[in-house]
Amino acid sequence: MLLSPRREVGEFRKRYKWMALVAVVVFVLLLGRMAQLQLVEGASWQAIARENITKTITLPATRGIVRDARGRVIASNRPAYSVFLTPQLLVEEDVARIAELMNLDEAGRDDLVRRLAAVPTRRRTHQIEMFRDIDREQLAALETHQAELPGLDVVSRPVRTYPFGSLGAHAIGYLNEVNADDLERLGRESGYRAGDVIGRMGIEKGWESELRGRRGHRRVLVDARGRRQRDARSFGIAHEEVDPPVPGHDVVLALDMELMRSIERALAGHPSGAVVVVDVHSGRVRALYSKPTYDLNEFVAGMSRTSYQRLQDDPFRPLIDKTLYESYFPGSTFKPFSALAALDEARMDSSTRVECIGYYQIGTDRKRCTSSHGEVDMRTALVQSCNVYFYALAERVGLEPLNRHARLFGLGERTGIGINSEASGFLATREWYANHFGRFRVGDTLNTAIGQGNTRATLLQLALAYGALANGGTLYKPQLVESIRHADGTLVEEIAPEVQRRIEIPSAHLDLITSGLFGVVNEQGGTAYDARIPGGVEVSGKTGTAEIQRGAMRRDVDPRRAWYFQRSHAWFAGYAPSGAPEVAIVVLVEHGGGGGRAAAPPAVRILQDYLGDRVAHVPTLRGSRGGR
Amino acid sequence: MRRATTLPLPAAPSASAPKRSLFARFGQDIPKVIGPADPILTAAIVALVGFGVVMVFSASSVFAEQRYGTPFHFLIRQGAFAILGVGAMLAIARFDYHRYRPLTYPILGVAVVLLVAVLVGLGRSAGGAARWIPIGPVNVQPAEIAKLALILWLAYSLSKKGAQIRSFQIGFLPHVLVAGLLMLLCLKQPDFGSSVMIALLTFVLLFTAGARPGYLFASVVVALPLGYWLITSRAYRMDRIQAFLDPFAHRYGVGYQIAESLMSFGAGGPTGVGLGDSKQKLFYLPEAHTDFISAIIGEELGFVGILALIAVYALIVARGLRIATHAANEYGTYIAVGITFFLGAQAFTNLAVAMGMLPTKGLVLPFLSYGGSALLVNCAAVGILLNVSRARAVEGGDEVGGELADADPNLASALASRAGAEPAAFSPPEAASTTTRRGATRRNRRQGEAAGEAPAGVLGAGAKRNRVRGGTT
């Protein structure tokens, strides 16, 4: 070409050269970049891409099963399905379709739309659990159409189930999802992640580390919509990598759910109360019963705000574990320990007599007795629960020895059962009285001796203390779990009874006390004599009627019902069979009035149910433990 | 090159003077076609189109199965378009490019009308931009047609201007104005990328035709702030820039595509994961079979595959530039340069975007990406280019020279390079009959050097097949 004379060939060449140069540079740039991406950085890109196309599926660990001492299932797992939605992948029609498949009503659909809209942007590419524990029809409908709905996943998520429902709820406990605070508190290395469940109460919380197990993982090849691809040949995923989950250990409790049931029957007439039964030879806790209660399954399913509020507002305080979280004035159930203090301090002996004229004059103060008992010795004072005797006893013994003996029997310190943040109870000292009321008065000692004062104890503490009375002075640690087992039933760990301390008590002293306790139930004039079952299991024990402190008057209850909440708490603490004690029992009927009338009959009934068949042949014991 | 500047061309002025009158008006004295179209270019295009069908199938099968129930959905369509496109290319290659001259303004007019039609709402929109007009089974992209129309118009106009090309008013301004109009229409769609492409196209052709570098430089200086304003004025353009600068910071937002694309390339490594084994096409990489098909190629065939691909595009550009230098006249040269740039720039831009070297821009990989419209337009462009590549007789006696060049081009060039002198010196009788062949032979060699081809073999073959370039000097 170059037809035009205007143009010099040189000029065109020059420009042509530039163009060619640019073309070469451009292609070299491409090649350089290509080499950088594929040759130099290839491996790291491969790693990123691999991360991108694989998904780690969490394989949840099966939580351990909780059984009672006789192998009955208390807590287990029920197969259930959750609906996970990925907001990013859902269009409006998808949501409508899901609502239709799930058979949601208008309100349910609107709620779903609202909840989906509320998902923050950074979470929109994640699977979010929208429905839990869907029913069979919903499951079938969703599974059938899952392929058409890329944003939908139906995932198996076992739900904790409690066959006994509300029975023993406080001791068994429940679980729910970890929240942000938990995750922060537990830290990363704990292995908890959002969506995990964690024990919140009772055994479920206390034995979380055994029950929980360890989650597993599976790395699978997925497409961008998270659907699993079968072809995992490339990217070095010859086989899907599986790190199998380790199921949690099963926990076998000392509890006896049959006993719990009988306790429930025995307390049927009372709105609120609690019962603890422990094995006197091992400290094994056979029953931890707190009433009123709540259904654990409801808690696990996610209780509505109103239901929870109702539980919170209930004047009988169903959310409180009355066996060990709450402590009470022990009332007259404290008297055996006062008596032991007097015997050990040699201030009184079995023959010491006190004249009861219905009251005890201390300075200008006149302290009343339940009746006019006349001249009583220690045994009679226990049997008939004469306050005047114990006032006199207190004056001779003093506060400090009373407290020391109470402490020997485990009062005022936590038992270490390991669940439900148990109360330590309280033993008021002189200093405490001085600090609290300005000065210490002898009257405070007198009140302490009859379990009023400011001594507080939990039912569990009392049960163990009575267990120590029954077994000759061995205070056990309470034992709620008997053994830890693998899912297949093989033993992981057998938990042996643990002795808290051996209390050195002269057997003569102890015999005097236990003889008195026998009399309470089995002798005419005994405070629990009316509760005895003739021909049944022989029960020893002590009734108690703990007055409600004026200052502790409940203000949260309807004034029209307030009278009820001013009634005394009824106690019965004891053990059976009297001749060869097996279990100690403490029954508290809140606002039940007199212990002999309200608490002793259920206690005897419970013991009869529990021991009746087994100990019918045990020779009866009359009058004294010495016959054993 | 050094020799080129010192090349004495005694016959040039005298030979070209009468020829100029022959080409003064269009429709007259079209030079006679005496040779076939460039077979290397034809082969390269056919190979690319065929490879494209394979890759479209590989990249789209999963998506197609999910969306349309058959993995062959895109394969069938792309196959049909491939046959149609190659057919069109071969047909157009037989249509003498000089015949476009009378059609220059009608074609430009149609392009403008189509652009306006898109703007007024006749088109089909996607992603907020109206860019297509459905005609039958294909979606016509007026911007693509406008680029071709602009190439034809610029080639026509520039070849007419002669020495006045160096003037501002006649040589520079009119071309910039027409290009500016097209750019404006594209911007309105909005199609920022096409506007940039039109600007570059105009720039390159003006440069080729000999416009003053000063003007070109000045226009760049003016255009830069304007471009900056255009980019910053639209949020989505800024997003794309940011995604480009740091794709992983916008991993699940604007940077998603580019991040996935980089992963695809990187995952391919030196030799790829194997044809059909891409994992990114499992919906990770959107548009896997269209704009980002190169990422799938990179993943499945690795560095080796992309290297081969780039080599083929380089070959196409080299052949295109060669055709430009060998064209029968300036008109042909400009058409060839324009079309070569049109194709090369698309290929480069697409690859550069996919490799994260340029901000995201919806542009197909020519001949490979799925899409009938783009394939047909590109095939048509190559068809025109192929026609330009055909040897033409300018004056009587050309064939003689051609025969000689065919006879032993290797010898001629070998001698030339050894002697360091004009190849023409070794062909005295033929050179005497016409000056054209001498120039052609020399250019053959220069062409080879410039495009980085292997000197002897390829050059020889090229020279042989291209026969004589009529009126080249």
Side-chain angles (χ1 to χ4, degrees):
Chain A
M1 61 178 174
L2 302 185
L3 295 165
S4 162
R6 74 182 153 81
R7 190 113 65 80
E8 285 164 31
V9 161
E11 164 124 27
F12 180 78
R13 295 255 162 263
K14 213 159 69 190
R15 298 198 166 185
Y16 168 79
K17 185 177 76 178
W18 278 112
M19 285 165 56
L21 186 68
V22 168
V24 168
V25 165
V26 154
F27 282 113
V28 165
L29 272 177
L30 281 181
L31 281 179
R33 174 64 170 166
M34 203 68 256
Q36 182 201 357
L37 278 180
Q38 300 198 300
L39 302 183
V40 181
E41 300 173 355
S44 68
W45 284 112
Q46 256 166 40
I48 296 174
R50 207 192 120 148
E51 201 57 44
N52 196 35
I53 56 159
T54 58
K55 184 161 99 173
T56 303
I57 293 181
T58 299
L59 304 172
T62 314
R63 196 175 173 86
I65 290 171
V66 180
R67 291 194 167 80
D68 81 346
R70 301 195 194 180
R72 301 182 192 93
V73 172
I74 294 176
S76 68
N77 310 296
R78 169 171 62 80
Y81 293 86
S82 281
V83 176
F84 282 79
L85 299 180
T86 312
Q88 192 79 62
L89 300 177
L90 291 171
V91 293
E92 214 167 300
E93 300 91 77
D94 291 344
V95 178
R97 184 115 178 82
I98 289 167
E100 181 198 331
L101 290 171
M102 293 192 67
N103 208 11
L104 298 180
D105 57 9
E106 191 86 16
R109 192 169 64 236
D110 292 347
D111 183 55
L112 172 61
V113 170
R114 206 176 50 248
R115 278 160 62 204
L116 276 172
V119 176
T121 316
R122 77 195 144 73
R123 300 251 310 145
R124 296 193 78 79
T125 53
H126 295 229
Q127 295 181 337
I128 292 160
E129 189 175 25
M130 282 290 169
F131 300 98
R132 193 172 290 186
D133 199 6
I134 56 174
D135 65 36
R136 271 168 191 283
E137 283 75 29
Q138 290 173 324
L139 175 66
L142 289 177
E143 293 243 291
T144 310
H145 296 276
Q146 193 161 14
E148 306 151 30
L149 296 159
L152 166 78
D153 292 276
V154 180
V155 176
S156 162
R157 276 192 67 156
V159 165
R160 196 69 160 167
T161 177
Y162 302 94
F164 288 95
S166 61
L167 190 64
H170 302 87
I172 296 159
Y174 57 92
L175 22 100
N176 58 30
E177 223 161 278
V178 291
N179 56 41
D181 292 342
D182 296 324
L183 291 175
E184 187 145 333
R185 179 171 49 83
L186 294 162
R188 235 176 192 297
E189 56 284 358
S190 69
Y192 286 97
R193 284 192 308 207
D196 284 356
V197 289
I198 186 168
R200 289 297 184 195
M201 275 270 288
I203 294 290
E204 293 278 28
K205 182 182 182 186
W207 294 79
E208 169 79 10
S209 60
E210 294 288 349
L211 288 168
R212 188 180 156 210
R214 191 178 58 78
R215 76 161 66 78
H217 301 281
R218 171 180 282 154
R219 245 177 135 60
V220 295
L221 189 64
V222 292
D223 69 14
R225 293 162 198 186
R227 280 176 310 212
R228 223 157 125 188
Q229 299 292 311
R230 272 180 201 88
D231 170 30
R233 277 179 297 144
S234 320
F235 284 96
I237 310 172
H239 305 286
E240 291 182 339
E241 298 163 18
V242 181
D243 165 25
V246 179
H249 291 144
D250 290 359
V251 167
V252 179
L253 300 184
L255 291 184
D256 184 327
M257 293 310 279
E258 200 51 54
L259 172 62
M260 295 285 279
R261 255 193 203 129
S262 98
I263 292 170
E264 188 170 53
R265 279 195 304 272
L267 286 189
H270 303 287
S272 73
V275 176
V276 173
V277 176
V278 297
D279 187 315
V280 301
H281 300 302
S282 63
R284 288 189 168 142
V285 180
R286 296 300 179 201
L288 278 177
Y289 178 88
S290 180
K291 185 178 179 176
T293 179
Y294 47 83
D295 192 335
L296 293 171
N297 295 313
E298 262 183 67
F299 262 75
V300 165
M303 187 174 268
S304 73
R305 192 158 280 282
T306 53
S307 307
Y308 189 75
Q309 195 62 46
R310 209 168 55 236
L311 285 177
Q312 274 197 317
D313 293 345
D314 190 322
F316 295 112
R317 301 180 301 165
L319 294 175
I320 300 291
D321 181 356
K322 291 164 182 150
T323 59
L324 49 88
Y325 178 78
E326 181 69 293
S327 63
Y328 298 88
F329 298 137
S332 297
T333 59
F334 187 78
K335 284 176 180 166
F337 309 107
S338 300
L340 271 175
L343 293 172
D344 287 355
E345 299 290 316
R347 301 294 179 188
M348 288 176 130
D349 60 27
S350 58
S351 59
T352 312
R353 289 174 172 268
V354 172
E355 172 83 20
C356 172
I357 52 169
Y359 62 88
Y360 187 79
Q361 191 78 33
I362 173 98
T364 56
D365 207 1
R366 185 174 278 193
K367 301 186 88 67
R368 293 174 58 244
C369 191
T370 48
S371 73
S372 203
H373 294 102
E375 199 167 274
V376 291
D377 62 4
M378 186 178 279
R379 187 172 182 281
T380 314
L382 278 174
V383 170
Q384 301 186 359
S385 204
C386 174
N387 285 349
V388 168
Y389 180 91
F390 283 91
Y391 291 144
L393 178 149
E395 245 196 314
R396 296 185 199 183
V397 174
L399 180 65
E400 210 282 319
L402 291 180
N403 280 345
R404 197 168 66 239
H405 277 79
R407 190 165 287 116
L408 270 180
F409 281 87
L411 303 189
E413 66 178 11
R414 290 196 177 84
T415 63
I417 191 168
I419 61 165
N420 293 357
S421 46
E422 65 164 328
S424 59
F426 187 67
L427 299 172
T429 60
R430 274 169 178 269
E431 292 73 37
W432 186 87
Y433 280 110
N435 290 336
H436 214 73
F437 296 113
R439 68 191 179 93
F440 170 76
R441 298 186 298 190
V442 179
D444 295 326
T445 308
L446 305 196
N447 287 337
T448 302
I450 62 161
Q452 292 290 142
N454 273 286
T455 300
R456 297 180 77 87
T458 66
L459 272 72
L460 182 63
Q461 286 171 335
L462 276 177
L464 292 163
Y466 271 77
L469 291 178
N471 64 25
T474 304
L475 183 69
Y476 282 95
K477 270 195 168 171
Q479 185 190 346
L480 198 48
V481 175
E482 289 192 344
S483 63
I484 308 288
R485 288 171 187 279
H486 289 294
D488 60 8
T490 54
L491 200 65
V492 176
E493 188 190 355
E494 182 91 57
I495 296 172
E498 224 180 306
V499 173
Q500 180 73 31
R501 74 174 67 89
R502 298 202 188 274
I503 306 161
E504 296 303 325
I505 325 167
S507 64
H509 297 173
L510 204 54
D511 286 346
L512 177 60
I513 303 299
T514 52
S515 155
L517 296 181
F518 179 83
V520 170
V521 185
N522 300 291
E523 280 176 21
Q524 192 90 40
T527 50
Y529 182 70
D530 291 343
R532 81 192 191 289
I533 298 173
V537 175
E538 279 181 352
V539 176
S540 298
K542 181 76 193 75
T543 59
T545 307
E547 283 173 25
I548 301 299
Q549 230 176 13
R550 294 249 167 243
M553 207 68 75
R554 301 277 295 275
R555 296 179 190 283
D556 57 331
V557 293
D558 187 335
R560 283 167 299 180
R561 297 164 74 187
W563 65 269
Y564 183 84
F565 293 95
Q566 290 172 23
R567 287 174 54 165
S568 301
H569 292 324
W571 283 100
F572 182 87
Y575 50 85
S578 299
E582 287 189 19
V583 293
I585 186 169
V586 174
V587 174
L588 170 73
V589 178
E590 280 194 316
H591 311 293
R597 211 182 61 245
V604 174
R605 183 78 252 158
I606 291 160
L607 292 169
Q608 176 64 33
D609 283 355
Y610 186 57
L611 300 170
D613 298 339
R614 282 196 279 162
V615 298
H617 61 279
V618 171
T620 59
L621 174 90
R622 287 277 158 199
S624 130
R625 274 174 58 89
R628 193 164 59 152
Chain B
M1 287 306 184
R2 181 178 45 77
R3 285 193 307 275
T5 52
T6 57
L7 177 70
L9 290 164
S14 59
S16 54
K19 278 174 204 154
R20 237 191 123 200
S21 64
L22 290 178
F23 292 98
R25 280 171 297 148
F26 50 65
Q28 282 188 335
D29 302 320
I30 293 168
K32 190 185 165 213
V33 173
I34 55 168
D38 184 345
I40 293 181
L41 181 60
T42 311
I45 299 296
V46 171
L48 268 190
V49 170
F51 180 55
V53 173
V54 173
M55 287 316 298
V56 162
F57 175 54
S58 173
S60 71
S61 58
V62 176
F63 173 64
E65 174 132 46
Q66 197 256 339
R67 172 71 72 86
Y68 300 102
T70 163
F72 306 114
H73 180 90
F74 294 104
L75 172 70
I76 292 166
R77 278 159 185 74
Q78 184 72 356
F81 282 123
I83 292 166
L84 207 62
V86 170
M89 177 180 83
L90 295 176
I92 289 170
R94 300 186 69 84
F95 184 81
D96 198 293
Y97 69 96
H98 296 91
R99 294 184 195 279
Y100 294 117
R101 285 187 297 184
L103 299 172
T104 301
Y105 282 97
I107 290 175
L108 191 62
V110 166
V112 171
V113 166
L114 285 175
L115 282 175
V116 172
V118 170
L119 284 185
V120 298
L122 290 177
R124 189 178 285 174
S125 56
R131 290 181 184 173
W132 297 303
I133 297 178
I135 298 177
V138 290
N139 291 321
V140 173
Q141 278 207 56
E144 297 301 306
I145 300 207
K147 284 170 206 161
L148 270 191
L150 182 69
I151 291 170
L152 291 177
W153 178 76
L154 282 173
Y156 167 71
S157 176
L158 288 171
S159 65
K160 233 174 40 172
K161 291 290 184 327
Q164 286 174 308
I165 188 72
R166 293 184 69 81
S167 78
F168 181 76
Q169 282 188 337
I170 297 172
F172 186 74
L173 194 59
H175 303 120
V176 171
L177 284 179
V178 170
L181 170 72
L182 294 178
M183 285 167 66
L184 257 182
L185 289 171
C186 285
L187 270 180
K188 272 289 183 189
Q189 288 186 5
D191 186 353
F192 187 66
S194 284
S195 297
V196 172
M197 195 62 95
I198 287 171
L200 289 173
L201 195 58
T202 311
F203 185 94
V204 165
L205 279 173
L206 281 171
F207 179 78
T208 310
R212 276 195 178 165
Y215 296 149
L216 296 173
F217 182 73
S219 63
V220 170
V221 169
V222 172
L224 281 181
L226 196 68
Y228 179 79
W229 174 77
L230 280 169
I231 288 169
T232 52
S233 68
R234 293 292 170 86
Y236 78 91
R237 287 183 196 140
M238 277 312 283
D239 285 350
R240 284 180 173 184
I241 297 285
Q242 291 191 343
F244 158 66
L245 291 176
D246 191 357
F248 283 87
H250 305 272
R251 179 74 181 77
Y252 294 105
V254 287
Y256 180 79
Q257 239 181 345
I258 199 71
E260 295 292 340
S261 177
L262 289 176
M263 269 182 243
S264 303
F265 275 110
T271 53
V273 299
L275 188 63
D277 277 346
S278 163
K279 291 299 164 291
Q280 294 291 327
K281 68 189 179 194
L282 301 174
F283 309 106
Y284 282 104
L285 186 62
E287 313 286 343
H289 59 296
T290 59
D291 292 357
F292 280 84
I293 195 163
S294 58
I296 300 297
I297 298 172
E299 186 185 2
E300 296 193 347
L301 303 178
F303 182 72
V304 172
I306 290 287
L307 187 69
L309 183 69
I310 291 177
V312 173
Y313 281 117
L315 176 67
I316 289 170
V317 169
R319 297 308 291 186
L321 290 178
R322 187 175 189 281
I323 289 165
T325 55
H326 288 66
N329 46 37
E330 288 173 306
Y331 181 55
T333 298
Y334 300 151
I335 286 179
V337 168
I339 288 174
T340 302
F341 178 79
F342 174 67
L343 298 175
Q346 280 186 71
F348 170 74
T349 313
N350 178 281
L351 288 169
V353 164
M355 294 182 205
M357 300 163 74
L358 283 178
T360 311
K361 155 95 194 62
L363 202 64
V364 299
L365 187 60
F367 310 110
L368 282 182
S369 287
Y370 175 76
S373 166
L375 185 62
L376 288 180
V377 168
N378 287 330
C379 281
V382 175
I384 297 171
L385 186 59
L386 283 174
N387 185 264
V388 177
S389 76
R390 301 184 77 169
R392 287 180 163 81
V394 179
E395 294 200 313
D398 286 331
E399 264 181 286
V400 181
E403 292 306 320
L404 185 86
D406 279 350
D408 197 355
N410 288 337
L411 175 67
S413 56
L415 288 170
S417 51
R418 193 173 61 188
E422 293 304 314
F426 298 93
S427 52
E430 292 75 21
S433 68
T434 171
T435 54
T436 55
R437 196 203 55 77
R438 189 175 61 182
T441 312
R442 187 190 70 240
R443 277 229 191 97
N444 283 351
R445 188 165 45 74
R446 303 204 169 286
Q447 165 73 32
E449 283 169 9
E453 291 177 0
V458 175
L459 168 68
K464 188 173 180 177
R465 282 171 202 143
N466 279 286
R467 300 188 147 213
V468 176
R469 302 297 159 194
T472 46
T473 320

